[in-house]
Amino acid sequence: MRCKPLYSLIGGPFRPRHHILGSDIAGRVEAVGRNATRFRPGQDVFADILSHMGGFAESVCVPETALAPMPAGMTYEEAAALPQAGAIALQGIQDKGRVEPGQKVLINGAGGGSGMYAIQLAKLNGAEVTGVDNAEKLEFMRSLGADHVIDYTRDDFTRNGRTYDLILDLAAHRPAFACKGSLMPGGRYLYVGGSVATLLQVLLIGPVIGRAEGQKIRLLAARQGARHLAPIVELCQAGKIATVIDRRYRLDEVPEALRYLGEGHAKGKVIVIVK
Ligand SMILES: NC(=O)c1ccc[n+]([C@@H]2O[C@H](COP(=O)([O-])OP(=O)(O)OC[C@H]3O[C@@H](n4cnc5c(N)ncnc54)[C@H](OP(=O)(O)O)[C@@H]3O)[C@@H](O)[C@H]2O)c1
């Protein structure tokens, strides 16, 4: 919407390719195409439709491969909160982050949607977790289980002399070299989102700068699709991971919802409810 970061131009260089935004959805199938075999009208489904968009609407039309059956026992709100943020947390902490008990994990931008799941997942994996976000979100991160919290508006985690086994960077704005300095030998740094400058550094020099110390500095390109979410869905269903919904908005309040998110107040997820 604001063309920030610059790589959002991928969504259309002169104007957005998708005029209706919104990528995480949960709802009920109303109709299926002639060749659809996996779903039938009346079934509850959820999805991350980032490549199609159009989620801020009463109805959305997507290929059935984008959809997964909604997990039993979940509300539409919980299911809509999970797809993108859950995939980033699962892949960042477990699949690519490979967190093991006793390891030290720092999650930068931990007070938002993905961080909410990532903190809880890292704790379940037995890690000592440091959450970084703005002052308003420090208590929130503690309530999710973070052992230590840092206010990024006051302290720079790359300058406090501490090192980590994993840095999951959801708001990457610091130079790759600075982040490398905060890794233990053999540690991993995963860029999830943030500035183009950091992204380019991670892509261009990331693979070489940590090699001597066995460090891995990489981009996490999260695999999309609700079907990849089984492990985190099970943890949510078992009550081991909570979905925190900060605010709920009506469909006609979407601009307000996005403004609230953009101003940095949201702790966890903001949900749009379509009646
Ligand atoms: N790699 C992939 O495959 C992939 C896929 C989808 C999305 N993404 C990216 O994933 C990222 C995380 O998504 P999300 O849903 O968790 O976002 P979110 O809910 O907006 O959370 C991001 C958090 O980071 C905080 N933050 C902003 N600047 C910061 C800084 N300099 N240092 C520390 N924290 C800072 C924000 O706080 P403030 O309120 O203070 O700004 C916010 O609490 C986004 O950057 C998104 O673009 C990546």
Side-chain angles (χ1 to χ4, degrees):
M1 283 176 296
R2 297 200 182 128
C3 204
K4 275 187 188 168
L6 206 59
Y7 55 69
S8 58
L9 283 176
I10 296 169
F14 303 109
R15 53 188 210 145
R17 198 163 31 247
H18 302 287
H19 293 183
I20 305 176
L21 299 177
S23 62
D24 281 355
I25 57 166
R28 186 160 289 173
V29 176
E30 284 192 1
V32 297
R34 244 197 331 272
N35 299 324
T37 54
R38 297 176 55 204
F39 299 100
R40 52 184 194 286
Q43 232 177 318
D44 285 334
V45 292
F46 76 136
D48 170 1
I49 55 166
L50 187 64
S51 44
H52 308 278
M53 292 291 193
F56 293 143
E58 290 88 348
S59 304
V60 60
C61 180
V62 290
E64 63 173 352
T65 47
L67 302 171
M70 207 165 92
M74 260 193 204
T75 63
Y76 287 128
E77 297 182 15
E78 286 165 335
L82 195 57
Q84 205 174 95
I88 289 172
L90 188 62
Q91 291 164 44
I93 297 295
Q94 286 188 185
D95 304 352
K96 302 285 179 193
R98 300 187 196 165
V99 170
E100 289 174 11
Q103 287 193 330
K104 290 187 165 54
V105 173
L106 180 136
I107 302 166
N108 189 38
S114 308
M116 165 187 76
Y117 292 120
I119 291 178
Q120 298 181 75
L121 207 52
K123 285 306 294 175
L124 280 176
N125 280 267
E128 183 181 327
V129 178
T130 301
V132 186
D133 214 302
N134 70 46
E136 263 186 63
K137 299 180 190 172
L138 302 185
E139 256 330 294
F140 174 63
M141 293 189 291
R142 280 197 196 99
S143 73
L144 296 169
D147 302 286
H148 316 282
V149 291
I150 297 175
D151 173 0
Y152 78 84
T153 62
R154 295 174 57 122
D155 299 309
D156 182 342
F157 74 84
T158 62
R159 292 182 180 200
N160 63 12
R162 297 198 186 98
T163 54
Y164 303 90
D165 295 286
L166 171 70
I167 297 175
L168 184 65
D169 209 344
L170 303 162
H173 296 285
R174 293 182 175 78
F177 264 112
C179 297
K180 180 215 169 314
S182 297
L183 282 182
M184 291 184 189
R188 286 162 192 266
Y189 169 90
L190 293 173
Y191 175 107
V192 181
S195 79
V196 175
T198 308
L199 174 64
L200 290 175
Q201 291 167 24
V202 166
L203 291 175
L204 296 174
I205 57 170
V208 280
I209 56 175
R211 197 177 285 163
E213 291 172 79
Q215 297 162 330
K216 287 205 162 40
I217 297 166
R218 300 279 190 274
L219 164 71
L220 174 76
R223 273 175 298 138
Q224 284 168 32
R227 63 188 181 285
H228 299 302
L229 290 171
I232 196 164
V233 162
E234 280 167 26
L235 291 168
C236 291
Q237 285 174 312
K240 292 183 178 166
I241 285 193
T243 296
V244 181
I245 295 172
D246 182 328
R247 283 196 182 178
R248 295 160 175 82
Y249 288 88
R250 295 191 312 267
L251 183 59
D252 63 338
E253 295 172 326
V254 164
E256 220 173 292
L258 294 175
R259 207 170 298 124
Y260 179 68
L261 202 65
E263 283 168 359
H265 306 304
K267 300 176 192 76
K269 276 286 180 180
V270 168
I271 298 287
V272 175
I273 297 171
V274 184
K275 295 269 183 218

